[in-house]
């Protein structure tokens, strides 16, 4: 991290004239603040700390992506959109759509060798009659997607294993969603059922819009999206990121 020095508060500083204005331009030999030098803005009086406001810093996304910068004071807006800049381009990254696409690609890459996680205790899921029978008809596909599901009778299923990406509290709603899709598509034989199971898994497992995200998580998402231009849409077709040039903003 690079911490910018706090603005001076002890004394008034006369504004410098812009080079294009009628006033004189700043002297070329005038010393410039070294923003690469770490400064402790927490020292000093309470008045100075209050005037300095929140610490302003930037975070580089690693040596290979040094041109991409996350602005810490505004790195995420609405706990949903990550802000990056690169040269003359501003990126707005939808963190849910981006994470969903990354998870979906990972699941599809392992579709022939799923990596399930065993649950400490089986999760019982009760379904409506039509959804229950539809899911039982497609148990092989569900198991191929990385689920260990068995019939418990009376409209209830027992889930003993799920894909690594899924959290325990997501299991009942996820199984209801998958079963509902099977019930709706009973007569649509052309669908790739395994693919849209992964759609549901990725959507449920992805970080949600509005959730708090740590700096490391945002850096990882931004690095992946900025580095891989092929990841442009989530599995449902929503844009993962929008790029605005400086000229467009102006």
């Amino acid at each position: 991290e690079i911490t910018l020095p706090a603005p001076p508060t002890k004394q008034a500083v006369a504004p410098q004239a812009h080079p294009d204005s009628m006033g004189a331009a700043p002297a070329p030999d005038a010393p410039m603040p070294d923003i690469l030098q770490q400064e402790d803005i927490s020292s000093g009086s309470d008045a100075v700390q209050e005037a300095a406001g929140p610490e302003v810093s930037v975070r580089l996304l690693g040596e290979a992506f040094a041109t991409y910068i996350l602005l810490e004071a505004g790195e995420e807006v609405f706990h949903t959109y990550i802000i990056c800049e690169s040269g003359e381009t501003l990126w707005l990254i939808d963190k849910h759509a981006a994470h969903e696409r990354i998870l979906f690609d990972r699941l599809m890459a392992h579709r022939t060798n799923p990596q399930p996680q065993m649950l400490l205790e089986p999760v019982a899921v009760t379904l409506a009659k039509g959804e229950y029978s539809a899911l039982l008809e497609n148990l092989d596909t569900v198991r191929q997607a990385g689920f260990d599901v068995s019939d418990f009778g009376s409209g209830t299923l027992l889930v003993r294993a799920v894909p690594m990406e899924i959290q325990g509290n997501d299991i009942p709603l996820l199984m209801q969603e998958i079963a509902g899709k099977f019930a709706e598509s009973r007569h649509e034989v052309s669908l790739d059922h395994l693919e849209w199971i992964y759609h549901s898994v990725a959507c449920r497992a992805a970080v949600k819009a509005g959730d708090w995200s740590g700096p490391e998580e945002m850096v990882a998402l931004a690095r992946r999206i900025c580095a891989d231009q092929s990841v442009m849409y989530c599995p449902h077709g929503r844009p993962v990121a929008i790029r605005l040039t400086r000229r467009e903003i102006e």
Side-chain angles (χ1 to χ4, degrees), residues 161-194:
V162 294
M164 292 291 294
E165 291 76 10
I166 293 297
Q167 301 296 321
N169 55 354
D170 289 329
I171 293 173
L173 288 176
L174 177 59
M175 296 309 300
Q176 291 170 11
E177 182 177 324
I178 292 173
K181 287 183 177 180
F182 278 129
E184 293 172 2
S185 62
R186 266 182 162 147
H187 305 294
E188 299 180 36
V189 295
S190 62
L191 289 179
D192 184 341
H193 290 165
L194 189 61

Side-chain angles (χ1 to χ4, degrees), residues 8 14 24 32 65 91 98 102 116 118 136 150 165 169-170 175 191 195 198 204 208 212 235 239:
M32 298 297 291
F65 309 98
W91 291 66
I102 291 170
M118 297 299 297
L136 289 181
S150 59
E165 291 76 10
N169 55 354
D170 289 329
M175 296 309 300
L191 289 179
E195 182 173 319
Y198 287 153
R204 288 284 176 187
K208 304 298 186 292
W212 182 87

Side-chain angles (χ1 to χ4, degrees), residues 23-90:
D29 296 331
M32 298 297 291
D34 181 9
I35 66 171
L36 298 181
Q37 181 178 356
Q38 296 285 346
E39 291 194 14
D40 182 6
I41 68 169
S42 62
S43 60
S45 66
D46 292 340
V48 173
Q49 293 181 38
E50 183 177 355
E55 180 175 287
V56 180
S57 66
V58 297
R59 181 180 295 107
L60 300 183
L61 298 184
E63 188 173 306
F65 309 98
T67 57
Y68 293 98
I69 300 175
L70 282 178
L71 306 177
E72 186 175 46
E75 61 190 1
E76 184 182 35
V77 291
F78 312 127
H79 291 296
T80 301
Y81 305 104
I82 301 170
I83 301 176
C84 289
E85 70 171 273
S86 172
E88 297 289 294
T89 303
L90 176 72

Side-chain angles (χ1 to χ4, degrees), residues 96 99-100 103 107 164-167 170 199-208:
H96 172 74
H99 194 205
E100 182 180 352
L103 292 177
L107 288 164
M164 292 291 294
E165 291 76 10
I166 293 297
Q167 301 296 321
D170 289 329
H199 283 185
S200 297
V201 171
C203 187
R204 288 284 176 187
V207 61
K208 304 298 186 292

